[in-house]
Amino acid sequence: MRKINKIIIHCSATKEGQNFTTDDIDRWHKKRGFAKIGYHFVIYLDGSVHKGRDISEVGAHVQGQNSNSIGICYIGGLDVNGKSKDTRTDAQKTSLVKLVAELKAQFPNTTILGHRDYSPDLNGNGIIEPWEWMKDCPCFDVSKEL
Ligand SMILES: [Zn+2]
């Protein structure tokens, strides 16, 4: 097993209330040139957890952070107009907490952050501030919740 020290949370950047599957993401990621779906886990609107890549495999979800991380994606992240929004259903929130707890038990000493927290610290003050986010993904403050 490779060394895991980070769990990184994503959204699928799809509109609120719309269902997508690991097969859809697999297709999108192949179109972007990845071998297959880049995330290790995907959480559907109903809270069900689906496997993408095996956790033993390096993912493809945050540039420069893939080798030691696990990527989890919830379906959603945009409102009906396509603007960033925390669209997680209660079922998704519950499943995310449970999944992260299971992974933390398996891989102690992991840092849990959102994709946007890995944006470059442009002014070098040690804090990734909202204006520095390259994208809003996953559209909520992971450090406050997980
Ligand atoms: Zn992301």
Side-chain angles (χ1 to χ4, degrees):
M1 176 58 80
R2 65 198 171 97
K3 180 176 151 64
I4 304 285
N5 57 20
K6 295 185 197 85
I7 296 170
I8 302 173
I9 314 297
H10 297 263
C11 63
S12 60
T14 53
K15 287 181 184 174
E16 188 165 18
Q18 293 188 351
N19 282 297
F20 292 96
T21 65
T22 50
D23 284 344
D24 294 317
I25 297 173
D26 189 54
R27 209 171 49 244
W28 302 336
H29 284 186
K30 280 176 176 160
K31 232 182 241 173
R32 287 170 55 184
F34 302 168
K36 55 178 152 177
I37 184 169
Y39 308 120
H40 297 92
F41 296 98
V42 179
I43 303 178
Y44 290 8
L45 300 184
D46 66 0
S48 57
V49 176
H50 300 259
K51 275 186 78 170
R53 288 192 192 199
D54 193 85
I55 52 173
S56 64
E57 293 177 88
V58 173
H61 52 99
V62 184
Q63 204 171 9
Q65 302 292 341
N66 290 313
S67 56
N68 301 121
S69 68
I70 289 174
I72 302 174
C73 173
Y74 75 90
I75 298 295
L78 300 179
D79 70 12
V80 289
N81 299 312
K83 279 203 171 153
S84 299
K85 182 186 171 188
D86 179 4
T87 63
R88 288 173 301 155
T89 62
D90 288 340
Q92 283 177 310
K93 288 183 186 174
T94 304
S95 293
L96 182 59
V97 168
K98 192 163 163 262
L99 176 59
V100 167
E102 285 166 8
L103 292 170
K104 269 168 86 172
Q106 200 179 343
F107 304 102
N109 307 315
T110 49
T111 304
I112 297 138
L113 285 173
H115 187 178
R116 69 187 187 192
D117 301 310
Y118 288 97
S119 302
D121 181 12
L122 298 176
N123 65 2
N125 71 348
I127 302 163
I128 308 302
E129 291 150 309
W131 66 271
E132 293 170 322
W133 295 341
M134 291 172 69
K135 40 162 107 181
D136 291 333
C137 177
C139 308
F140 71 100
D141 190 345
V142 172
S143 65
K144 282 202 179 125
E145 280 193 39
L146 297 170

